[in-house]
Amino acid sequence: MNVGIKIPPAPLDAALAYASVGIKVFRVRRDKAPYANCSRCDIKSSAYIKHRPEDCQCGVPTCHGFWAATTDADLIRRWWTEEPDANIGAPCKLNGWAVLDIDPRHGGHLSLRSIEERVGVLPGTAMQITGGDGLHILYLSPGFDLPGEPFPGVEFKHNNYIVLAPSLHSSGARYRWYGDGRFYQPAVPWPSSLLPRKERPQIPGQARRQQSLSGIRRPGRHWTVETLVQHVMDSADGNRNRSLYFAACRAQETAAQGFLDLYEAETALMSAGCSVGLDEREVLATIQSAGRRPSDKSRAAA
């Protein structure tokens, strides 16, 4: 049975509560930037090397960040004794999570509605209200990397981190867990409908339905960033580059008509292309090629 734990209001006590159930945590500042946590950046460590954080050359990616996350109670006490008001960060992948980060300031609530209209209501799981009035939806990690920002205002956080309650947001509001305020370990797998097609479990009789949902026919009156990204994520092996090129061309045409932001669409398509296994340089070249292609008005959205 998934029993929730009560999260104390004091940052140190809260960090210890998370650690007690196996959640690795680390310190973050109010602006979400991590403190220096690795041994070479710790002034009290025998391995400390004097340097400015921006000049760090310790060789560990994001050494001032989530790689230092721990469940060590003694280290946690020391960290929060040094910085009593530090916020609490938790790495996603290292804790076995994948998180939908919904940011309403950038239209995330609209993107979430669009996603659920297309694939159905997402499975219920642990959720956190962010200090910026957004939403973290926590699932179990699918075991491989996910696209970073596939939809406007929606980020798939996997090889990244989130801030945990009761941390204080720059707005002055605190993060809090949805419902009774307790933290429940996520136990629901990442929704298969949000996976690239090649990673989705195949269900007999579903192939035709998937084709109707994500085929090349324009869904609705105009292409949207969401439908273009989904078209790429649904592409079959051997057809991924062609699907990306098709989506990039439709983005150019739809943007020319004023129905979407081209920069936003191309940024999302970059992420989607990489998530289905295309090389970043190949993705960029394909999108640039679509931008140089003469407009074909006969295929533009009506």
Side-chain angles (χ1 to χ4, degrees):
M1 181 177 179
N2 193 351
V3 179
I5 62 168
K6 185 175 178 60
I7 301 300
L12 170 57
D13 294 338
L16 289 170
Y18 288 119
S20 71
V21 293
I23 303 303
K24 296 178 180 180
V25 296
F26 65 104
R27 299 175 298 178
V28 294
R29 302 179 190 275
R30 190 71 56 82
D31 62 359
K32 301 181 184 178
Y35 289 82
N37 290 319
C38 74
S39 59
R40 291 182 180 228
C41 301
D42 183 349
I43 196 169
K44 295 183 179 181
S45 169
S46 60
Y48 174 70
I49 298 175
K50 186 176 180 179
H51 65 281
R52 296 186 304 170
E54 59 268 30
D55 296 330
C56 181
Q57 297 181 5
C58 74
V60 181
T62 62
C63 77
H64 292 200
F66 61 77
W67 294 107
T70 185
T71 59
D72 185 323
D74 291 337
L75 181 55
I76 290 170
R77 287 191 185 94
R78 199 188 84 193
W79 279 349
W80 268 271
T81 298
E82 294 172 352
E83 302 287 346
D85 296 325
N87 281 339
I88 304 168
C92 299
K93 188 175 181 180
L94 296 181
N95 279 315
W97 304 341
V99 179
L100 265 82
D101 185 353
I102 311 300
D103 185 355
R105 295 170 299 177
H106 296 93
H109 59 305
L110 299 176
S111 292
L112 179 61
R113 182 188 305 169
S114 176
I115 290 169
E116 293 194 321
E117 286 176 350
R118 185 175 63 252
V119 304
V121 176
L122 297 178
T125 185
M127 295 192 297
Q128 180 178 231
I129 309 298
T130 73
D133 203 28
L135 186 66
H136 289 154
I137 307 176
L138 283 67
Y139 292 103
L140 295 177
S141 167
F144 48 82
D145 289 339
L146 296 167
E149 299 182 38
F151 309 108
V154 174
E155 185 176 358
F156 290 177
K157 288 194 169 180
H158 190 222
N159 195 24
N160 205 325
Y161 62 90
I162 60 173
V163 177
L164 301 181
S167 296
L168 189 63
H169 190 265
S170 57
S171 66
R174 291 195 177 275
Y175 290 72
R176 66 188 190 279
W177 292 105
Y178 183 80
D180 62 6
R182 293 175 177 267
F183 167 72
Y184 293 85
Q185 283 273 22
V188 179
W190 179 264
S192 61
S193 58
L194 298 182
L195 294 173
R197 183 177 177 180
K198 66 188 181 71
E199 304 290 357
R200 295 179 196 169
Q202 292 300 308
I203 300 174
Q206 193 179 43
R208 181 173 297 179
R209 179 177 178 271
Q210 287 183 341
Q211 183 177 7
S212 68
L213 285 173
S214 58
I216 67 171
R217 291 191 62 186
R218 171 170 45 84
R221 185 177 180 186
H222 302 293
W223 288 96
T224 65
V225 175
E226 293 88 348
T227 53
L228 291 170
V229 166
Q230 194 67 47
H231 179 70
V232 175
M233 292 180 67
D234 285 350
S235 58
D237 289 345
N239 197 42
R240 292 171 294 180
N241 196 292
R242 182 179 300 178
S243 294
L244 176 63
Y245 181 73
F246 176 91
C249 289
R250 304 292 81 75
Q252 289 281 340
E253 295 166 356
T254 310
Q257 296 177 339
F259 293 113
L260 61 72
D261 182 283
L262 184 59
Y263 175 80
E264 181 180 76
E266 291 185 338
T267 299
L269 289 175
M270 278 289 299
S271 180
C274 292
S275 77
V276 297
L278 296 175
D279 180 82
E280 185 175 350
R281 289 174 296 182
E282 182 182 10
V283 172
L284 180 60
T286 298
I287 292 175
Q288 290 176 338
S289 177
R292 293 190 295 267
R293 172 181 174 273
S295 176
D296 183 355
K297 294 183 179 180
S298 66
R299 298 182 70 178

